[in-house]
Amino acid sequence: MAQIFKPSANTIAQVSLLGGAIVPLSVGLGIAALSRSPANTKVGVPLNQPVPFSHEHHVGQLGIDCRYCHTSVEKSAFAGFPPTETCMSCHSQIWTNSPLLEPVRKSYETGTPIRWTKVNKVPEFVFFNHSIHVNRGINCNTCHGAVNDMNITWKGNSFQMAWCLQCHRAPERYLHENEADTAAGLTPRQQVFNLYWKFQQDGVKHLDAHEQDLISGEDPVSFDKDEIAKGRKLVNKYGVKTQQLADCWICHR
Ligand code: HEC
Ligand code: HEC
Ligand code: HEC
Ligand code: HEC
Ligand code: HEC
């Protein structure tokens, strides 16, 4: 069969591909410098919020599923914030006189959404998608820290490129499957949420070492050889494309 492209076309294609990548990236460089505002870089610092919402209360103690409030996290790129109606499904009946909840009641009456201060953000030129991570069984705490412990939400990790890459270069360390959960027929995604449920039921008692690290926000999460070997099997099982994960176009499209 006749060749459609001459070998040199390959080089031309590569050069123009590179050009295509460098222009948006160098624009990105400037934006990245701007985006390093304190609110966007400080790890571990609780930010001011219009209502002192506590994940420790609502998740760690009451055991409300993340998806009750962050409804789109397993289906879309964004986790999203809950509308005031979600809060009022409980707070129209309980804690109705709490002064701390005044802004919530006001928002409900006036129909003006609460403006939460954003804690986690990547620059515009970075592509991120929640659903693929959650569907591969990566726990929220791996990236966000011990959310179940947060009285006022803070940023759990730097979210800089090197941080994304250290996982993308060796994701087997972070994939996790508990044998008991697997026997119960849970998918990786369900196990992400099951961890919080188990923790709320009886604390760290029935959690394995890796799960305990996740729940306590230990960083780096400890790995032993056995766990890494298990992780490699999971990479195959979940069909993770490890050869491509560190390529520029994955995150800069
Ligand atoms: C009862 C509702 C509710 C539940 C349940 C809940 N959240 Fe939230 N979450 C919120 C609200 C409201 C905010 C915005 C205020 C804040 O940052 O604390 C938020 C913010 C966050 C943020 C920071 C978002 C940003 O600004 O970048 C993360 C991360 C987060 N939640 C993770 C979780 C995880 C993980 C779970 C489950 C373990 C969970 N949430 C369960 C209501 C909830
Ligand atoms: C499933 C029910 C439920 C939902 C939904 C819920 N809460 Fe709560 N919330 C509670 C309960 C129960 C308490 C009391 C916790 C305690 O002190 O033990 C509480 C306490 C609070 C408090 C502390 C009140 C005080 O005076 O100490 C705030 C603030 C609060 N919630 C905000 C919110 C916000 C904002 C949302 C929506 C994002 C929300 N809650 C959604 C059940 C809920
Ligand atoms: C692989 C890392 C990673 C995992 C796992 C992860 N997140 Fe995020 N999360 C991020 C990044 C990065 C952002 C900032 C996204 C942006 O700026 O577009 C973010 C932002 C958020 C926000 C702010 C609103 C939004 O959608 O941007 C919420 C809420 C949130 N995450 C909740 C969760 C919950 C709940 C889980 C688990 C079910 C979870 N995240 C799992 C990395 C992660
Ligand atoms: C703890 C490990 C981990 C961290 C941290 C992480 N990722 Fe991922 N990421 C993965 C895995 C696993 C996949 C799934 C790859 C597959 O199945 O082929 C993935 C896939 C992706 C994809 C491909 C989505 C698609 O639709 O093809 C993008 C984009 C991505 N990650 C961006 C990011 C960015 C940006 C960050 C940092 C803010 C980040 N990731 C942090 C593990 C991680
Ligand atoms: C796993 C996701 C991911 C991959 C793969 C990735 N990047 Fe990034 N990149 C990011 C994130 C996240 C930022 C934003 C960093 C910040 O805000 O500090 C970024 C920022 C940048 C910037 C802006 C300057 C800076 O350092 O903040 C440049 C330039 C860049 N990346 C180039 C590249 C090149 C070239 C490649 C391929 C070798 C690549 N990136 C691969 C996630 C990724």
Side-chain angles (χ1 to χ4, degrees):
M1 203 175 86
Q3 261 185 304
I4 300 171
F5 296 108
K6 280 186 275 176
S8 63
N10 222 344
T11 322
I12 296 169
Q14 273 169 5
V15 169
S16 58
L17 258 179
L18 253 178
I22 285 167
V23 174
L25 281 181
S26 45
V27 172
L29 258 166
I31 304 172
L34 286 177
S35 77
R36 291 223 172 83
S37 66
N40 206 11
T41 47
K42 273 191 193 147
V43 174
V45 181
L47 299 186
N48 266 336
Q49 295 290 354
V51 180
F53 175 80
S54 166
H55 281 93
E56 190 199 9
H57 258 142
H58 293 85
V59 174
Q61 290 169 22
L62 299 173
I64 310 174
D65 192 295
C66 315
R67 291 167 292 184
Y68 187 80
C69 293
H70 304 293
T71 50
S72 55
V73 73
E74 54 184 340
K75 288 168 269 158
S76 84
F78 297 100
F81 293 99
T84 305
E85 285 75 16
T86 306
C87 313
M88 288 305 269
S89 67
C90 290
H91 288 298
S92 59
Q93 279 138 55
I94 48 171
W95 252 250
T96 50
N97 294 321
S98 162
L100 297 180
L101 282 157
E102 180 53 29
V104 178
R105 291 189 292 267
K106 200 157 178 210
S107 156
Y108 191 65
E109 280 156 22
T110 59
T112 320
I114 301 170
R115 296 185 60 128
W116 302 106
T117 311
K118 203 145 191 303
V119 180
N120 303 282
K121 203 166 167 28
V122 288
E124 291 290 325
F125 59 89
V126 176
F127 183 83
F128 181 77
N129 187 319
H130 271 95
S131 68
I132 193 160
H133 293 93
V134 176
N135 282 295
R136 294 291 185 251
I138 298 174
N139 189 267
C140 319
N141 286 20
T142 309
C143 299
H144 290 298
V147 175
N148 45 276
D149 256 0
M150 295 179 185
N151 205 346
I152 298 292
T153 315
W154 64 77
K155 187 178 181 181
N157 273 298
S158 72
F159 288 15
Q160 284 174 355
M161 183 159 117
W163 173 80
C164 309
L165 282 174
Q166 57 78 33
C167 177
H168 275 214
R169 289 198 176 113
E172 63 276 6
R173 296 168 303 158
Y174 295 95
L175 303 177
H176 187 61
E177 191 172 49
N178 181 301
E179 269 145 36
D181 298 343
T182 318
L186 296 187
T187 63
R189 166 169 57 78
Q190 288 164 326
Q191 290 182 39
V192 164
F193 301 103
N194 194 38
L195 173 62
Y196 300 111
W197 187 79
K198 284 195 290 190
F199 173 66
Q200 198 260 332
Q201 293 295 302
D202 55 7
V204 296
K205 230 184 343 181
H206 295 117
L207 303 183
D208 66 27
H210 186 103
E211 289 174 326
Q212 288 188 24
D213 282 347
L214 282 173
I215 277 297
S216 60
E218 266 320 294
D219 190 36
V221 175
S222 66
F223 319 97
D224 60 32
K225 277 199 195 118
D226 286 354
E227 289 206 40
I228 293 181
K230 277 189 209 155
R232 290 218 180 87
K233 284 191 192 138
L234 293 177
V235 163
N236 290 331
K237 187 172 163 188
Y238 301 164
V240 176
K241 295 170 260 151
T242 42
Q243 303 85 339
Q244 294 167 19
L245 264 187
D247 290 353
C248 316
W249 62 268
I250 287 274
C251 302
H252 305 294
R253 314 184 175 188

